[in-house]
């Protein structure tokens, strides 16, 4: 298995991304942030998203405060799901209320998975964004010590690439 620190590119099937964006939009209802975990097979040498899990599927109270508050019980349920389905967390995605996909102070200080190389994405406008492109999304790689590297979605060597499969 490739470690998070060794990952260069993660492939994200466009059909799966379309479904995730639809769920983000539905669950946020245009009034609150929402999130999904993008998961990939544990035994694959090439990081590719194979499924996703919405934050509120593993933590039903995640959205009760209006902003996302992911609880320890949700983390336990996520890791249990990963073990049972032989997948791992490759990317965590959440929405922001405006077109601004820069990380907030909260995003910077509270990585979902504080492991060097972990990838986080931010989708604008409560997921009222195109599903056929990642150009409006913010893509960030955790570098440790609450430092992040920004990956331009339009760069040729971008961290996350949409694929057909």
């Amino acid at each position: 298995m490739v470690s998070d620190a060794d990952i260069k590119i993660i492939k994200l099937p466009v059909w799966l991304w379309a479904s995730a964006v639809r769920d983000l939009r539905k669950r946020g209802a245009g009034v609150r942030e929402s999130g999904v975990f993008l998961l990939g097979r544990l035994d694959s040498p090439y990081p590719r998203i194979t499924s996703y899990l919405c934050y509120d599927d593993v933590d039903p109270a995640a959205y009760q405060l209006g902003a996302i508050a992911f609880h320890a019980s949700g983390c336990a349920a996520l890791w249990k799901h990963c073990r049972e389905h032989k997948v791992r967390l490759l990317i965590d995605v959440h929405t922001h209320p405006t077109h601004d996909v820069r990380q907030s102070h909260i995003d910077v200080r509270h990585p979902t998975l504080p492991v060097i190389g972990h990838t986080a994405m931010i989708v604008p406008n409560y997921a009222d964004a195109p599903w056929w492109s990642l150009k409006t999304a913010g893509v960030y790689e955790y570098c440790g010590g609450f430092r992040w590297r920004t990956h331009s979605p339009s760069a040729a060597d971008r961290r996350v690439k949409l694929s057909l499969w």
Side-chain angles (χ1 to χ4, degrees), residues 7 22 29 34-35 41 47 50 54 61 63 69 75 86 110 128 137 141 155 160 164:
I7 292 175
R22 185 183 65 243
S34 59
R41 288 185 31 199
T50 57
C54 294
Y63 306 145
C75 289
K86 295 180 175 50
H110 300 279
D128 188 13
E141 175 185 356
V160 182
L164 293 178

mmCIF file of all heavy atoms in Angstrom, residues 7 22 29 34-35 41 47 50 54 61 63 69 75 86 110 128 137 141 155 160 164:
data_model
loop_
_atom_site.group_PDB
_atom_site.id
_atom_site.type_symbol
_atom_site.label_atom_id
_atom_site.label_comp_id
_atom_site.label_asym_id
_atom_site.label_seq_id
_atom_site.Cartn_x
_atom_site.Cartn_y
_atom_site.Cartn_z
ATOM 1 N N ILE A 7 1.815 9.625 -1.995
ATOM 2 C CA ILE A 7 0.808 9.840 -3.036
ATOM 3 C C ILE A 7 1.135 11.091 -3.843
ATOM 4 O O ILE A 7 1.399 12.141 -3.291
ATOM 5 C CB ILE A 7 -0.603 9.963 -2.410
ATOM 6 C CG1 ILE A 7 -1.033 8.627 -1.827
ATOM 7 C CG2 ILE A 7 -1.611 10.447 -3.450
ATOM 8 C CD1 ILE A 7 -2.351 8.681 -1.075
ATOM 9 N N ARG A 22 -23.761 15.774 -5.654
ATOM 10 C CA ARG A 22 -25.219 15.769 -5.491
ATOM 11 C C ARG A 22 -25.586 15.546 -4.016
ATOM 12 O O ARG A 22 -26.449 16.236 -3.478
ATOM 13 C CB ARG A 22 -25.853 14.702 -6.378
ATOM 14 C CG ARG A 22 -27.371 14.727 -6.348
ATOM 15 C CD ARG A 22 -28.018 13.630 -7.181
ATOM 16 N NE ARG A 22 -27.697 12.322 -6.618
ATOM 17 C CZ ARG A 22 -26.999 11.371 -7.248
ATOM 18 N NH1 ARG A 22 -26.567 11.576 -8.475
ATOM 19 N NH2 ARG A 22 -26.756 10.210 -6.671
ATOM 20 N N ALA A 29 -28.488 21.421 1.838
ATOM 21 C CA ALA A 29 -29.758 22.101 1.554
ATOM 22 C C ALA A 29 -29.593 23.596 1.273
ATOM 23 O O ALA A 29 -30.507 24.373 1.489
ATOM 24 C CB ALA A 29 -30.752 21.876 2.688
ATOM 25 N N SER A 34 -21.590 20.743 4.439
ATOM 26 C CA SER A 34 -21.727 19.285 4.492
ATOM 27 C C SER A 34 -20.403 18.680 4.036
ATOM 28 O O SER A 34 -19.533 19.388 3.538
ATOM 29 C CB SER A 34 -22.888 18.819 3.608
ATOM 30 O OG SER A 34 -22.669 19.211 2.267
ATOM 31 N N GLY A 35 -20.261 17.375 4.210
ATOM 32 C CA GLY A 35 -18.996 16.756 3.850
ATOM 33 C C GLY A 35 -19.116 15.292 3.492
ATOM 34 O O GLY A 35 -20.095 14.622 3.843
ATOM 35 N N ARG A 41 -9.482 1.597 -2.207
ATOM 36 C CA ARG A 41 -9.114 0.255 -1.764
ATOM 37 C C ARG A 41 -7.801 0.253 -1.003
ATOM 38 O O ARG A 41 -6.839 0.915 -1.384
ATOM 39 C CB ARG A 41 -9.027 -0.681 -2.963
ATOM 40 C CG ARG A 41 -10.386 -1.000 -3.533
ATOM 41 C CD ARG A 41 -10.363 -2.000 -4.642
ATOM 42 N NE ARG A 41 -9.282 -2.976 -4.504
ATOM 43 C CZ ARG A 41 -8.825 -3.719 -5.492
ATOM 44 N NH1 ARG A 41 -9.338 -3.593 -6.691
ATOM 45 N NH2 ARG A 41 -7.860 -4.578 -5.304
ATOM 46 N N PRO A 47 -3.570 5.066 -5.936
ATOM 47 C CA PRO A 47 -4.708 5.656 -5.228
ATOM 48 C C PRO A 47 -5.833 6.051 -6.187
ATOM 49 O O PRO A 47 -5.633 6.843 -7.094
ATOM 50 C CB PRO A 47 -4.112 6.885 -4.551
ATOM 51 C CG PRO A 47 -2.642 6.669 -4.567
ATOM 52 C CD PRO A 47 -2.355 5.826 -5.754
ATOM 53 N N THR A 50 -12.938 4.754 -4.819
ATOM 54 C CA THR A 50 -13.862 3.690 -5.212
ATOM 55 C C THR A 50 -15.238 3.856 -4.564
ATOM 56 O O THR A 50 -16.197 3.233 -5.003
ATOM 57 C CB THR A 50 -13.298 2.307 -4.834
ATOM 58 O OG1 THR A 50 -13.030 2.283 -3.427
ATOM 59 C CG2 THR A 50 -12.025 2.013 -5.616
ATOM 60 N N CYS A 54 -20.860 9.853 3.434
ATOM 61 C CA CYS A 54 -21.217 11.196 3.897
ATOM 62 C C CYS A 54 -20.959 11.320 5.395
ATOM 63 O O CYS A 54 -21.137 10.358 6.150
ATOM 64 C CB CYS A 54 -22.685 11.484 3.597
ATOM 65 S SG CYS A 54 -23.035 11.562 1.829
ATOM 66 N N ALA A 61 -24.975 13.533 14.143
ATOM 67 C CA ALA A 61 -25.016 14.864 14.756
ATOM 68 C C ALA A 61 -24.017 15.832 14.117
ATOM 69 O O ALA A 61 -23.862 16.955 14.596
ATOM 70 C CB ALA A 61 -24.733 14.749 16.254
ATOM 71 N N TYR A 63 -24.045 17.809 11.643
ATOM 72 C CA TYR A 63 -24.517 19.098 11.122
ATOM 73 C C TYR A 63 -25.451 19.837 12.072
ATOM 74 O O TYR A 63 -26.040 20.848 11.709
ATOM 75 C CB TYR A 63 -25.246 18.905 9.789
ATOM 76 C CG TYR A 63 -24.474 18.158 8.731
ATOM 77 C CD1 TYR A 63 -25.123 17.317 7.850
ATOM 78 C CD2 TYR A 63 -23.097 18.289 8.602
ATOM 79 C CE1 TYR A 63 -24.442 16.630 6.861
ATOM 80 C CE2 TYR A 63 -22.405 17.602 7.628
ATOM 81 C CZ TYR A 63 -23.077 16.774 6.764
ATOM 82 O OH TYR A 63 -22.390 16.098 5.800
ATOM 83 N N ALA A 69 -19.411 19.665 12.841
ATOM 84 C CA ALA A 69 -18.764 19.271 14.092
ATOM 85 C C ALA A 69 -18.721 17.748 14.085
ATOM 86 O O ALA A 69 -19.729 17.095 14.357
ATOM 87 C CB ALA A 69 -19.541 19.792 15.293
ATOM 88 N N CYS A 75 -15.828 9.301 14.103
ATOM 89 C CA CYS A 75 -14.496 8.800 13.724
ATOM 90 C C CYS A 75 -14.438 7.292 13.905
ATOM 91 O O CYS A 75 -13.945 6.574 13.025
ATOM 92 C CB CYS A 75 -13.412 9.466 14.563
ATOM 93 S SG CYS A 75 -13.145 11.187 14.149
ATOM 94 N N LYS A 86 -12.418 -2.839 3.728
ATOM 95 C CA LYS A 86 -11.033 -2.875 3.224
ATOM 96 C C LYS A 86 -10.722 -1.672 2.331
ATOM 97 O O LYS A 86 -10.210 -1.804 1.228
ATOM 98 C CB LYS A 86 -10.750 -4.188 2.508
ATOM 99 C CG LYS A 86 -10.803 -5.387 3.444
ATOM 100 C CD LYS A 86 -10.520 -6.669 2.698
ATOM 101 C CE LYS A 86 -10.437 -7.877 3.598
ATOM 102 N NZ LYS A 86 -11.475 -8.109 4.532
ATOM 103 N N HIS A 110 -7.508 21.981 12.211
ATOM 104 C CA HIS A 110 -8.196 20.733 12.550
ATOM 105 C C HIS A 110 -8.282 19.796 11.347
ATOM 106 O O HIS A 110 -9.375 19.525 10.841
ATOM 107 C CB HIS A 110 -9.598 21.030 13.090
ATOM 108 C CG HIS A 110 -9.587 21.867 14.318
ATOM 109 N ND1 HIS A 110 -9.352 21.352 15.577
ATOM 110 C CD2 HIS A 110 -9.747 23.204 14.484
ATOM 111 C CE1 HIS A 110 -9.371 22.325 16.466
ATOM 112 N NE2 HIS A 110 -9.610 23.463 15.825
ATOM 113 N N ASP A 128 -23.051 23.896 -4.832
ATOM 114 C CA ASP A 128 -23.691 24.340 -6.068
ATOM 115 C C ASP A 128 -22.551 24.665 -7.030
ATOM 116 O O ASP A 128 -22.261 25.820 -7.321
ATOM 117 C CB ASP A 128 -24.582 25.560 -5.825
ATOM 118 C CG ASP A 128 -25.397 25.914 -7.055
ATOM 119 O OD1 ASP A 128 -25.457 25.084 -7.986
ATOM 120 O OD2 ASP A 128 -25.960 27.018 -7.083
ATOM 121 N N ALA A 137 -12.846 23.800 -7.041
ATOM 122 C CA ALA A 137 -12.583 23.211 -5.721
ATOM 123 C C ALA A 137 -11.194 23.596 -5.217
ATOM 124 O O ALA A 137 -10.258 23.758 -5.993
ATOM 125 C CB ALA A 137 -12.695 21.690 -5.791
ATOM 126 N N GLU A 141 -2.949 19.606 0.660
ATOM 127 C CA GLU A 141 -2.197 18.452 1.158
ATOM 128 C C GLU A 141 -1.592 18.809 2.515
ATOM 129 O O GLU A 141 -0.922 19.833 2.650
ATOM 130 C CB GLU A 141 -1.089 18.114 0.163
ATOM 131 C CG GLU A 141 -0.157 17.029 0.588
ATOM 132 C CD GLU A 141 0.981 16.838 -0.394
ATOM 133 O OE1 GLU A 141 1.006 17.507 -1.462
ATOM 134 O OE2 GLU A 141 1.868 16.026 -0.090
ATOM 135 N N ALA A 155 -3.625 22.944 -12.537
ATOM 136 C CA ALA A 155 -2.239 22.604 -12.879
ATOM 137 C C ALA A 155 -2.174 21.209 -13.511
ATOM 138 O O ALA A 155 -2.963 20.328 -13.192
ATOM 139 C CB ALA A 155 -1.364 22.651 -11.629
ATOM 140 N N VAL A 160 -5.478 15.819 -7.487
ATOM 141 C CA VAL A 160 -6.678 15.017 -7.725
ATOM 142 C C VAL A 160 -7.094 15.218 -9.182
ATOM 143 O O VAL A 160 -7.222 16.351 -9.633
ATOM 144 C CB VAL A 160 -7.821 15.432 -6.782
ATOM 145 C CG1 VAL A 160 -9.045 14.550 -6.998
ATOM 146 C CG2 VAL A 160 -7.383 15.393 -5.331
ATOM 147 N N LEU A 164 -12.343 8.534 -16.014
ATOM 148 C CA LEU A 164 -13.557 7.873 -16.504
ATOM 149 C C LEU A 164 -13.934 6.664 -15.656
ATOM 150 O O LEU A 164 -15.073 6.258 -15.632
ATOM 151 C CB LEU A 164 -13.383 7.452 -17.954
ATOM 152 C CG LEU A 164 -13.255 8.598 -18.946
ATOM 153 C CD1 LEU A 164 -13.032 8.076 -20.355
ATOM 154 C CD2 LEU A 164 -14.491 9.488 -18.895
#
